[in-house]
Amino acid sequence: MESRLGLISKNLAHQLSHTDEKTLRNLTWATGKAALTYTKIRNSLVERFLDAAEGRCPADLPSFRQELLNYVEELDALQWNLREDVDQGKIAVSDYLQAFADARVFNALYFALDPDPHIAAAESIYETVTASNDLPALEELVRKIIG
């Protein structure tokens, strides 16, 4: 199965392709929780995601995913505007990098809710690595869950 994860770790992408759906779902929820450590944003979307990760899934999952996607689009627009501000010397690079990470974290949550467990796992890991710039931490998470 092709995913963006293969762009940053062919090994992880290969491991996921040989993992059963239940384990992939467990990995996906753990990845989403890990992603949240890279943002300070706490809102109802976070709480609802955590509920879903604990098995208390929202009644209308497609609607919830759309809400997450809408929020990602807002965060992406913000980070692109901040990128322009960095280029013009108006703000620090660290402010832009946090906005970038915030957008990637919420995209990880969005992908974690994908109905296809392989896409959910691969894309949420990819987005979390992009948010954190810490591939070894995600490789360790995968090792703990997959074995």
Side-chain angles (χ1 to χ4, degrees), residues 79 82-83 85-87 89-101:
Q79 64 99 11
L82 291 176
R83 178 61 195 194
D85 289 346
V86 167
D87 292 344
K90 294 179 181 176
I91 66 164
V93 172
S94 60
D95 293 333
Y96 162 74
L97 291 175
Q98 186 57 60
F100 178 82

Side-chain angles (χ1 to χ4, degrees), residues 62-125:
S63 177
F64 179 44
R65 283 192 81 221
Q66 186 59 51
E67 287 180 61
L68 281 166
L69 183 58
N70 292 344
Y71 193 56
V72 168
E73 289 169 355
E74 289 175 30
L75 292 173
D76 273 336
L78 173 66
Q79 64 99 11
W80 278 113
N81 290 336
L82 291 176
R83 178 61 195 194
E84 291 173 10
D85 289 346
V86 167
D87 292 344
Q88 296 171 4
K90 294 179 181 176
I91 66 164
V93 172
S94 60
D95 293 333
Y96 162 74
L97 291 175
Q98 186 57 60
F100 178 82
D102 292 342
R104 303 293 47 89
V105 165
F106 279 86
N107 213 26
L109 302 184
Y110 166 77
F111 277 114
L113 296 173
D114 192 286
D116 181 316
H118 288 91
I119 291 171
E123 293 299 320
S124 64
I125 291 170

Side-chain angles (χ1 to χ4, degrees), residues 7-26:
L7 298 173
I8 58 174
S9 176
K10 290 188 185 309
N11 182 45
L12 280 180
H14 179 75
Q15 284 180 292
L16 296 186
S17 70
H18 293 86
T19 302
D20 66 89
E21 289 185 5
K22 183 178 183 210
T23 304
L24 286 171
R25 282 292 174 205
N26 291 337

Side-chain angles (χ1 to χ4, degrees), residues 2-59:
E2 291 293 317
S3 73
R4 295 180 299 161
L5 182 59
L7 298 173
I8 58 174
S9 176
K10 290 188 185 309
N11 182 45
L12 280 180
H14 179 75
Q15 284 180 292
L16 296 186
S17 70
H18 293 86
T19 302
D20 66 89
E21 289 185 5
K22 183 178 183 210
T23 304
L24 286 171
R25 282 292 174 205
N26 291 337
L27 176 59
T28 300
W29 297 128
T31 299
K33 290 177 186 178
L36 287 169
T37 65
Y38 300 103
T39 183
K40 293 179 182 174
I41 296 173
R42 293 295 178 261
N43 57 27
S44 65
L45 295 173
V46 171
E47 297 310 314
R48 289 166 62 197
F49 175 81
L50 292 172
D51 283 347
E54 297 300 323
R56 299 180 300 274
C57 228

